[in-house]
Amino acid sequence: MNNNDRKFGGRFIDIFLISTIASLIVLIIIFTTANNLHKAQNVSASNPTVNEPGTVNPIEPDISSTVTQEIMNTNIEGIRIVNETLKDPTKPYLIQSIKTNFEPINTAINKYISDSKTQYENIIRLKDKIEPNDSSKNLLNNLNISVEISTHQDQYISLIFTKNIAIRSNQSDTTIYTLFFNNKTGEIINLQKILNGDVKSLTSLSESVRSSILKNPAYEKHINTESLTKVTEPKWNYFQRFSIKDNSLVFYFNKGEIANNSIGIPTTTIPLSSIYKQLAAEFQKGIKDGSIVTTPPPTKDTSSSKKVALTFDDGPHPTITMEILDLLDKYNAKATFFVVGNRIDRYSDVLIETFERGHEIGNHTWNHTNLTTISTNQVKEQLSSTNNAIKKAIGQYPTVFRPPYGAKNNQVVSVIELPVIMWTIDTLDWKYRNASNLLPMVKKSMHNNAIILMHDIHQSTADGLESVLKYLQEQGYEFVTVSEILQYK
Ligand code: ZN
């Protein structure tokens, strides 16, 4: 190797070193920029709402960005209140949330909360973009979510979330979110279920909501009737914000939705008693048709009044069932009708009338078969065909079942999903066919919480019924459905 070569080699190394250093610098710049960019993205998309308590936002280790969580028990089974706070001065929040024992409910609540946080951050980011040098920046941002809990008939719970979002302003945007569920089963219940899915009921409810809003003197002159009419159109998804409080349905509107902001959150209250006939059976419990029940429904221990469940099998019958319905109305009596499936299509108007007058409908098989003499699949078929025929006629499935002849065995009972109802007093009306024999048969074995078996296909039963109603009323009995009797047993 000569000197020139060495010189050349040395120069080559210098160039190599310089370019390596330069490349490194470039790499560092790229890396740092990328990292900053990444940071920036993280900041904007950061969600300090990771669900674990006390999670620290990794980008801003400042104490103000710490999310704190506090969980409190309530005196309602399985219901806990979660208070979550973020003190970050640019996007502070105070969020009250609920935890239940049911995952689907928790998921719905968590989605609402996390959507609310995203909405809040998006509005802040948008404002920052539009007015980057606004002097009030970061001063008056706030997200506040609070929740109110209301219970109904022990097992139903309403959660009413009120959300206030204020961005650089003293004025806040207030909206409502509600959730109604069965705290024993975890089922989320919508208005459609409460009203048996009946659009006619929804239409009349929508009219009641409108007129009660318009009649409220506090809202006078503030209501925008056009908006009110629009948001109360009888569509199920327009009636999602509701609760049940004090035996009434309460509907909520957002601030500014149907009125000017001065009246805040418009609400309206519809007593369940006023829509008693439209309610699904489980929501009729403890509610009196047409009048408001202010005391809680009596329980087994506190109930002092005597009760009896009159039951009528083998109908519907076009004339006898109708006569019985009129007599029951006369004595303000509710009863239970176990109907035979293959009669429903012919006499569906009688069945509808029975249901609409507030009586309970039970399944009594398709063609009055002795279930202990047929296969399990045939038993299932007897039940489902009748269930479907009832549903088709009245829009709701039966709530109880009674086997023809009272014939059942373990095999039969194991495939029946409805409560299987027998009786405690058999009037043998089908055997005697004698009107004057009905009352003596009842008197002979009468007791509190009796379930009396009769048939609404015999004229003699309709003829003898008034003497029974009169006697039992004088004895202080209240006439209730079978399902109601079961609650007191
Ligand atoms: Zn029968």
Side-chain angles (χ1 to χ4, degrees), residues 178 190-192 202 205-206 209-210 226-242 250-254 257-258:
T178 63
N190 57 21
L191 188 69
Q192 195 162 2
L202 178 66
L205 180 77
S206 120
V209 167
R210 282 174 194 168
E226 207 176 300
S227 307
L228 174 67
T229 309
K230 209 170 159 203
V231 302
T232 54
E233 266 179 51
K235 294 178 181 169
W236 293 114
N237 60 352
Y238 286 5
F239 286 80
Q240 285 180 355
R241 277 166 306 193
F242 73 91
V250 183
F251 293 95
Y252 303 83
F253 298 89
N254 292 330
E257 190 179 9
I258 59 164

Side-chain angles (χ1 to χ4, degrees), residues 313-314 340 364 368 403-405 455:
D313 290 10
D314 299 357
V340 175
H364 197 44
H368 212 268
Y405 318 105
H455 295 81

